[in-house]
C-alpha cells in the first residue's frame, strides 16, 4: 500500500510539474506590453532639463498605440493630430482617424479611415476617453463618443481589420479622409466595384499606397468630394437596416497595385473572423517576446522591459507583397527571392536595435541588408539614414554574427564606395580622407539651429564606420583596405583638443573653433544634436585609447564624474535634446554609450549606479507614467532599455562581444536555436559587479563573446 501511495504521488507530481512547465511555456507575454508608453508628453522642467517655450511639445517617445505585427507593412493606429510624429498624442481628447502606416517619425500615417454618422460634416473628429480605450500587441480599442461607435482594430503583415459597433444601425458612414497623411498628399482616388468592395490609392511623396477594402455590409452610396485634392475626402454610406451586427472593414495594402492589395488581403485575412486575426497577432508577438524570459524585478520593470522589447521590432517595415513583388527605388515593380524592407533608421538604431534584430530575427536581418544592397544597385552606394555611414556597422556586425544570406560581395563593394568616393553616402569624405577630420566654417555667434557640417560628429562617426568596415575587409581577405581603414579609425584623435579635454570643432586651416562653450548644444554646427560633453566619450572601438587621450584613468574618471553631475543650463534649449543627468542626455542618441565608460577604468560599479538611475527614472515617467525622456527613434531608446535591463550591451555593434552589466532581473533567459539557452543569473541580487563567471569559469574581461549566443551557456554574476 505504501509503495502504491508513493507511486501515485510520483505520477501526480510529474503531472503537476509537467503542467506547470507547460503553463509557464504558454505564458502570454503580451500582457506585460503597454503600447501607450511613449505616447504621453514630458512636461516637468525638472525631467526635461529646461522650461519649453510656449507651444512646444518635447520629443518624448513619439510612439503609437495601434496594432502591428513585427516589421509589418501595416501599422493600424489612431490619429489625434497629423504632422505630430506618430500622429497620436496622449493628452489630446479627439480622434480624427485610424491610419495604416506609422513609424513615429513625422512621415507615413497613410489611408485615414474613420467611422462617422451620415449627417456628420467637416471637421471630422470625435472625442474619446482613455477610460474607454485599450491597446495591446496586435490590438486597439476605443469608443468614439461623438459618433456613438465602438472601434476595435487588429492586423496582419499587410492588412488591417476594423470592427465598428455603431449604437444604431441607421446612418452608418465610413470616412476615407484620403487628402490627409503626415506628409503632403499629391493625389488620391477611390472607387467601388461591387456592393461591398472599395479600392484606390493615396500618393505621398515617392510612395503610392494602394488599398483594397472588403466590407461586411452593403454600400448604399459613395460620396466623393474633391477627389485627388488635399481638402478632399470620401464618405461611404452603409445601407440601413438588415444586419445590426458590427460593420467589419478589411483592408489590404500594397505599394505596387490594387490587385496586389487584394491578393494580400485575401491571402492573410480571407475567411477569418476578427478574433482569429487578433489571436494570430497575439501568437506572433508571443513567439517573438518569448525569445527572452525574465524572473524577478518589479511589475513596472517587467512592463518596461517587454514594452521596450516590443517597440524594438516595429521598424523597419515590410514592403514586399505576398507574391514577392515590390516597387524599388526607381519606381520599377520587381519580384526577387528576398523580402524588401524600408531603410532602417541607422543613425539611431545601429547602436543596439539592429544588433538585437540580428540575434532574434536573423532571416529578417538578411532581407533588410539585401534591401540595402538592392538600393545600392541604383547608386553604387549603400544608403544611410540622417547622419554617419552606419550600414558599415550594421552589415559588418550582422555578418560576423552569422547572418550571411545576402550578397556580401556587393554589400562590401558599395560600402567601400561609401568610404572612399565623394558624392555618395558620406558628405565631405574627400576632406575627411585628406585631413583626417571634417571642418566647420568660422561662424560668428552660432546658435542651436546654425547650419554647417556637424564636422566633429561626422569625424567621430566616420572613424567608427571606418573601424567597422575594416573588420569586414578582414573577413573578406582584403588586407590592403583593412590596414588603411583601421588607421582611419584613429581619426577621432584629430578632433580631440587636449587643451580643453573635449572633442572640438576645427576650421579648414586646422585651427580650433573659438570661442568654445562645451555646454552649448547644436543641431548641425560642430555637433549633430549634441554639445561637446555628449560626443566626447564616443569612441566605442578604442576606449583604452580614449582613456589615454584624457591623460589616464584618474583624469578620465574625473571627466566622467563631471559629465554626470555638472548641471544642465536651463537656458540652453534644443527640442530633441532633453532628459539630462548632468550634461549626459538620455533623451537623444549621441551619448548613449557614455554610461558604460567607467568599465574602462575598472569601475563597473560607477557605471552601474548611472545605469540604474537611468533605467528607474528616465523611462515610464511623467504624470501618467507613460512618457520617455526623449524620442524613441524607431525603437533605439527602447532597445537601449531592453539590452541594459537584461545586463548586456553591444558597445561596439560591429564587434561580436557584449559588455556585461547587472540586470534588473534575478534571471534572464535567452531562447536560442536547437533547444539551446543562454542564461544570466544574479543570485545575490547585489548591484555592484565583482566577478563574471561564464560556464563555471572566471571571465577575464567584462565582455562575453557572441559564441554564447550560438552554443548557449550560463553567466553567473558575483555582486554585492
Amino acid at each position: 500500500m505504501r509503495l502504491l501511495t508513493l507511486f501515485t504521488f510520483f505520477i501526480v507530481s510529474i503531472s503537476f510539474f509537467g503542467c506547470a512547465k507547460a503553463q509557464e511555456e504558454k505564458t502570454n507575454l503580451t500582457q506585460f506590453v503597454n503600447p501607450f508608453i511613449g505616447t504621453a508628453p514630458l512636461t516637468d522642467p525638472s525631467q526635461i532639463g529646461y522650461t519649453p517655450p510656449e507651444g512646444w511639445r518635447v520629443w518624448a517617445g513619439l510612439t503609437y498605440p495601434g496594432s502591428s505585427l513585427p516589421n509589418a507593412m501595416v501599422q493600424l493606429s489612431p490619429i489625434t493630430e497629423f504632422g505630430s510624429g506618430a500622429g497620436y498624442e496622449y493628452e489630446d481628447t479627439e480622434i480624427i482617424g485610424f491610419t495604416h502606416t506609422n513609424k513615429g517619425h513625422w512621415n507615413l500615417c497613410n489611408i485615414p479611415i474613420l467611422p462617422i454618422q451620415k449627417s456628420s460634416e467637416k471637421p471630422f473628429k470625435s472625442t474619446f476617453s482613455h477610460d474607454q480605450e485599450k491597446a495591446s500587441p496586435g490590438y486597439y480599442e476605443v469608443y468614439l463618443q461623438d459618433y456613438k461607435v465602438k472601434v476595435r482594430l487588429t492586423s496582419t503583415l499587410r492588412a488591417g481589420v476594423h470592427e465598428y459597433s455603431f449604437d444604431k444601425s441607421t446612418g452608418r458612414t465610413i470616412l476615407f479622409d484620403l487628402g490627409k497623411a503626415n506628409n503632403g498628399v499629391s493625389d488620391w482616388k477611390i472607387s467601388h466595384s461591387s456592393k461591398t468592395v472599395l479600392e484606390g490609392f493615396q500618393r505621398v511623396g515617392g510612395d503610392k499606397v494602394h488599398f483594397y477594402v472588403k466590407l461586411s455590409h452593403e454600400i448604399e452610396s459613395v460620396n466623393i468630394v474633391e477627389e485627388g485634392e488635399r481638402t478632399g475626402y470620401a464618405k461611404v454610406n452603409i445601407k440601413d437596416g438588415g444586419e445590426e451586427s458590427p460593420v467589419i472593414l478589411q483592408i489590404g495594402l500594397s505599394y505596387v497595385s490594387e490587385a496586389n492589395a487584394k491578393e494580400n488581403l485575401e491571402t492573410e485575412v480571407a475567411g477569418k473572423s476578427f478574433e482569429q486575426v487578433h489571436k494570430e497577432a497575439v501568437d506572433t508577438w508571443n513567439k517573438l517576446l518569448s525569445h527572452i524570459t525574465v524572473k524577478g524585478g518589479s511589475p513596472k520593470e517587467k512592463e518596461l522591459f517587454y514594452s521596450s522589447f516590443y517597440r524594438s521590432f516595429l521598424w523597419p517595415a515590410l514592403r514586399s507583397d505576398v507574391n514577392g513583388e515590390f516597387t524599388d527605388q526607381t519606381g520599377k515593380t520587381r519580384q526577387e527571392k528576398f523580402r524588401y524592407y524600408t531603410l532602417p533608421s541607422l543613425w539611431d538604431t545601429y547602436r543596439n536595435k539592429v544588433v538585437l534584430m540580428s540575434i532574434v530575427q536573423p532571416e529578417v536581418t538578411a532581407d533588410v541588408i539585401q534591401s540595402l544592397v538592392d538600393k545600392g544597385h541604383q547608386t553604387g552606394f549603400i544608403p544611410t539614414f540622417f547622419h554617419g555611414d552606419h550600414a558599415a556597422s550594421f552589415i559588418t556586425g550582422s555578418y560576423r554574427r552569422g547572418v550571411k544570406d545576402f550578397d556580401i560581395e556587393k554589400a562590401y563593394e558599395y560600402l567601400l564606395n561609401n568610404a572612399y568616393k565623394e558624392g555618395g553616402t558620406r558628405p565631405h569624405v574627400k576632406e575627411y580622407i585628406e585631413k583626417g577630420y571634417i571642418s566647420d566654417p568660422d561662424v560668428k555667434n552660432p546658435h542651436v539651429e546654425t547650419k554647417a557640417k556637424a564636422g566633429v560628429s561626422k569625424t567621430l562617426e566616420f572613424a567608427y564606420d571606418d573601424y567597422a568596415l575594416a573588420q569586414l575587409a578582414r573577413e573578406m581577405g582584403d588586407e590592403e583596405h583593412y590596414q588603411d581603414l583601421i588607421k582611419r579609425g584613429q581619426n577621432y584623435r584629430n578632433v580631440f583638443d587636449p587643451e580643453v579635454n573635449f572633442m572640438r570643432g576645427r576650421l579648414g586651416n586646422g585651427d580650433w573653433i573659438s570661442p568654445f562653450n562645451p555646454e552649448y548644444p547644436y543641431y548641425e554646427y560642430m555637433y549633430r544634436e549634441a554639445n561637446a560633453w555628449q560626443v566626447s566619450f564616443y569612441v566605442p572601438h578604442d576606449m583604452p585609447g580614449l582613456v589615454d587621450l584624457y591623460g589616464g584613468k584618474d583624469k578620465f574618471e574625473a571627466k566622467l564624474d563631471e559629465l554626470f553631475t555638472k548641471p544642465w543650463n536651463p537656458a540652453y534649449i534644443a527640442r530633441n535634446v532633453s532628459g539630462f543627468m548632468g550634461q549626459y542626455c538620455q533623451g537623444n542618441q549621441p551619448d548613449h554609450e557614455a554610461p558604460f565608460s567607467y568599465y574602462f577604468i575598472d569601475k563597473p560599479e560607477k557605471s552601474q549606479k548611472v545605469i540604474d538611475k537611468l533605467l528607474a527614472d528616465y523611462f515610464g515617467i511623467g504624470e501618467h507614467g507613460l512618457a520617455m525622456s526623449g524620442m524613441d527613434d524607431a525603437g533605439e531608446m527602447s532597445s537601449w532599455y531592453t539590452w541594459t535591463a537584461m545586463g548586456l550591451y553591444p558597445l561596439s555593434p560591429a564587434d561580436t562581444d557584449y559588455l556585461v552589466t547587472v540586470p534588473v532581473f534575478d534571471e534572464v533567459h535567452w531562447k536560442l536555436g536547437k533547444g539551446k539557452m543562454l542564461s544570466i543569473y544574479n543570485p545575490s541580487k547585489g548591484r555592484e559587479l565583482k566577478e563574471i563567471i561564464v560556464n563555471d569559469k572566471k571571465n577575464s574581461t567584462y565582455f562575453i563573446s557572441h559564441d554564447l549566443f550560438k552554443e548557449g551557456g550560463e553567466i553567473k554574476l558575483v555582486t554585492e
Side-chain angles (χ1 to χ4, degrees):
M1 187 68 178
R2 178 180 172 83
L3 286 173
L4 180 59
T5 302
L6 286 172
F7 179 77
T8 303
F9 175 79
F10 178 71
I11 294 298
V12 170
S13 296
I14 289 175
S15 177
F16 174 81
F17 288 114
C19 290
K21 183 177 180 182
Q23 188 65 34
E24 183 179 344
E25 290 174 351
K26 293 180 181 178
T27 298
N28 179 13
L29 295 176
T30 64
Q31 68 181 300
F32 302 117
V33 175
N34 184 350
F36 289 108
I37 292 176
T39 65
L42 196 60
T43 58
D44 186 345
S46 67
Q47 293 177 323
I48 298 170
Y50 50 80
T51 300
E54 187 175 352
W56 266 34
R57 189 186 196 268
V58 173
W59 293 349
L62 302 187
T63 62
Y64 57 91
S67 174
S68 180
L69 293 190
N71 305 106
M73 183 182 292
V74 167
Q75 299 85 29
L76 179 47
S77 191
I79 294 291
T80 62
E81 183 180 349
F82 283 105
S84 59
Y88 178 96
E89 298 187 340
Y90 193 81
E91 67 273 26
D92 290 343
T93 59
E94 296 174 326
I95 287 175
I96 58 178
F98 302 100
T99 59
H100 295 77
T101 62
N102 213 309
K103 181 187 176 185
H105 223 275
W106 296 281
N107 55 357
L108 303 179
C109 295
N110 299 106
I111 321 294
I113 296 177
L114 183 69
I116 60 175
Q117 297 297 322
K118 192 173 185 179
S119 58
S120 301
E121 297 181 354
K122 292 180 71 173
F124 301 106
K125 57 185 179 179
S126 175
T127 55
F128 75 104
S129 166
H130 294 305
D131 293 335
Q132 295 176 298
E133 184 183 36
K134 297 177 184 176
S136 57
Y139 183 80
Y140 176 82
E141 174 186 316
V142 71
Y143 183 75
L144 302 179
Q145 295 169 353
D146 293 347
Y147 300 134
K148 309 297 182 187
V149 55
K150 178 181 176 181
V151 176
R152 299 203 305 154
L153 309 173
T154 189
S155 60
T156 65
L157 279 176
R158 304 171 181 86
V161 182
H162 303 230
E163 180 190 88
Y164 304 144
S165 296
F166 290 85
D167 282 6
K168 294 182 179 179
S169 60
T170 57
R172 296 169 296 183
T173 296
I174 302 172
L175 173 74
F176 284 72
D177 208 0
L178 296 173
K180 293 186 174 64
N182 250 8
N183 297 112
V185 175
S186 59
D187 194 15
W188 63 267
K189 185 176 182 179
I190 189 170
S191 62
H192 67 110
S193 53
S194 79
K195 295 178 180 179
T196 57
V197 171
L198 298 154
E199 54 190 315
F201 68 84
Q202 184 186 58
R203 186 186 293 278
V204 181
D207 286 337
K208 188 176 183 182
V209 188
H210 304 266
F211 62 88
Y212 181 89
V213 171
K214 187 173 182 181
L215 290 164
S216 59
H217 291 55
E218 286 191 17
I219 298 168
E220 179 184 75
S221 61
V222 178
N223 182 22
I224 300 173
V225 177
E226 298 182 67
E227 185 172 71
E229 301 298 324
R230 294 186 184 182
T231 52
Y233 56 89
K235 292 170 74 173
V236 177
N237 302 310
I238 304 299
K239 229 177 193 182
D240 288 343
E243 295 183 39
E244 295 188 10
S245 57
V247 175
I248 303 295
L249 183 155
Q250 299 174 341
I251 178 170
L253 294 194
S254 167
Y255 286 75
V256 175
S257 67
E258 278 102 277
N260 277 17
K262 177 182 180 181
E263 186 178 4
N264 289 342
L265 179 66
E266 291 180 340
T267 301
E268 296 183 354
V269 176
K272 297 177 183 177
S273 68
F274 182 98
E275 296 303 339
Q276 283 177 292
V277 175
H278 177 210
K279 182 183 182 302
E280 289 176 5
V282 172
D283 291 345
T284 297
W285 277 112
N286 266 323
K287 183 178 179 181
L288 187 146
L289 295 173
S290 66
H291 276 85
I292 305 173
T293 54
V294 299
K295 290 185 179 180
S298 68
K300 180 71 171 178
E301 287 168 336
K302 189 169 283 188
E303 178 186 65
L304 285 170
F305 176 76
Y306 280 108
S307 298
S308 297
F309 193 14
Y310 161 80
R311 282 193 303 273
S312 299
F313 288 89
L314 294 173
W315 193 263
L318 179 67
R319 288 294 179 262
S320 290
D321 294 326
V322 292
N323 62 10
E325 290 184 343
F326 62 90
T327 301
D328 70 15
Q329 280 203 139
T330 67
K332 182 181 178 182
T333 297
R334 291 173 34 219
Q335 190 178 52
E336 302 291 347
K337 294 180 180 180
F338 65 94
R339 286 184 170 187
Y340 194 73
Y341 284 88
T342 58
L343 184 67
S345 297
L346 285 170
W347 190 65
D348 314 306
T349 63
Y350 85 96
R351 293 169 167 84
N352 48 48
K353 197 194 91 161
V354 294
V355 179
L356 188 63
M357 181 174 72
S358 71
I359 298 171
V360 175
Q361 294 179 308
E363 298 86 1
V364 171
T365 303
D367 284 344
V368 171
I369 293 174
Q370 189 59 43
S371 299
L372 290 173
V373 173
D374 190 82
K375 293 175 174 70
H377 291 334
Q378 318 303 325
T379 63
F381 299 93
I382 294 286
T384 190
F385 176 83
F386 190 64
H387 209 255
D389 182 18
H390 303 311
S393 172
F394 172 38
I395 293 173
T396 298
S398 299
Y399 187 79
R400 296 178 76 195
R401 289 181 183 89
V403 178
K404 299 187 176 181
D405 192 15
F406 62 92
D407 189 342
I408 184 60
E409 299 286 345
K410 280 296 180 183
Y412 181 57
E413 175 188 336
Y414 298 153
L415 285 171
L416 285 176
N417 289 346
N418 287 10
Y420 287 95
K421 292 185 178 180
E422 188 72 58
T425 297
R426 295 197 193 188
H428 318 295
V429 70
K430 185 173 183 290
E431 179 187 29
Y432 173 76
I433 293 172
E434 290 174 353
K435 296 178 179 176
Y437 70 91
I438 294 171
S439 65
D440 268 290
D442 189 5
V443 177
K444 303 302 179 186
N445 302 313
H447 54 83
V448 170
E449 297 185 5
T450 294
K451 301 289 185 185
K453 298 181 185 177
V456 176
S457 290
K458 278 190 175 66
T459 301
L460 293 172
E461 293 182 38
F462 287 176
Y464 181 71
D465 299 329
D466 288 339
Y467 167 84
L469 188 52
Q471 309 314 304
L472 188 56
R474 174 157 279 184
E475 294 279 346
M476 302 298 289
D478 184 352
E479 188 66 18
E480 181 179 351
H481 277 118
Y482 171 79
Q483 292 296 339
D484 186 49
L485 289 163
I486 204 72
K487 181 180 177 182
R488 281 169 46 170
Q490 294 294 304
N491 281 344
Y492 72 88
R493 297 172 181 270
N494 298 330
V495 289
F496 184 81
D497 181 1
E499 293 297 316
V500 295
N501 269 1
F502 284 104
M503 301 292 178
R504 182 176 180 180
R506 303 184 76 165
L507 300 173
N509 65 7
D511 291 347
W512 299 110
I513 289 177
S514 186
F516 177 67
N517 179 355
E519 297 178 37
Y520 192 82
Y522 297 98
Y523 288 149
E524 208 173 344
Y525 183 61
M526 295 193 289
Y527 313 109
R528 189 64 176 179
E529 298 184 7
N531 67 10
W533 277 103
Q534 291 154 7
V535 303
S536 289
F537 300 90
Y538 176 83
V539 188
H541 58 297
D542 187 19
M543 290 301 291
L546 183 65
V547 172
D548 290 342
L549 268 187
Y550 275 100
K553 290 184 177 182
D554 291 344
K555 290 183 178 179
F556 188 73
E557 181 178 6
K559 194 74 173 182
L560 272 178
D561 289 347
E562 194 175 1
L563 169 69
F564 293 110
T565 58
K566 187 178 183 64
W568 182 262
N569 187 334
Y572 295 163
I573 298 173
R575 193 169 198 158
N576 54 345
V577 183
S578 62
F580 305 102
M581 181 188 295
Q583 292 294 304
Y584 171 79
C585 175
Q586 181 62 33
N588 207 10
Q589 284 73 35
D591 56 351
H592 273 185
E593 294 79 14
F596 306 95
S597 298
Y598 285 108
Y599 273 77
F600 298 92
I601 54 171
D602 296 316
K603 296 285 182 72
E605 69 279 0
K606 295 189 80 168
S607 273
Q608 198 62 53
K609 285 182 179 179
V610 172
I611 290 167
D612 284 349
K613 183 171 177 58
L614 293 172
L615 291 173
D617 297 343
Y618 290 72
F619 294 81
I621 55 178
E623 178 186 356
H624 306 284
L626 298 175
M628 300 172 73
S629 55
M631 184 178 170
D632 194 40
D633 273 320
E636 188 279 341
M637 190 82 68
S638 292
S639 185
W640 190 96
Y641 187 98
T642 303
W643 278 107
T644 310
M646 65 184 171
L648 296 174
Y649 195 76
L651 188 76
S652 174
D655 289 314
T656 54
D657 50 17
Y658 310 88
L659 190 66
V660 177
T661 64
V662 182
V664 299
F665 306 104
D666 302 336
E667 297 180 18
V668 177
H669 302 283
W670 283 73
K671 185 170 67 176
L672 310 173
K674 299 179 181 178
K676 296 177 181 178
M677 183 83 72
L678 171 59
S679 297
I680 305 169
Y681 298 95
N682 180 19
S684 66
K685 304 182 182 182
R687 302 308 301 163
E688 290 191 9
L689 181 63
K690 297 299 181 182
E691 200 169 86
I692 303 166
I693 309 296
V694 178
N695 292 335
D696 296 325
K697 294 181 180 179
K698 182 178 177 180
N699 212 46
S700 59
T701 74
Y702 293 118
F703 289 86
I704 59 107
S705 168
H706 184 72
D707 288 342
L708 285 170
F709 282 99
K710 297 177 181 177
E711 304 301 327
E714 288 188 353
I715 303 170
K716 290 185 179 178
L717 307 181
V718 179
T719 60
E720 291 181 359

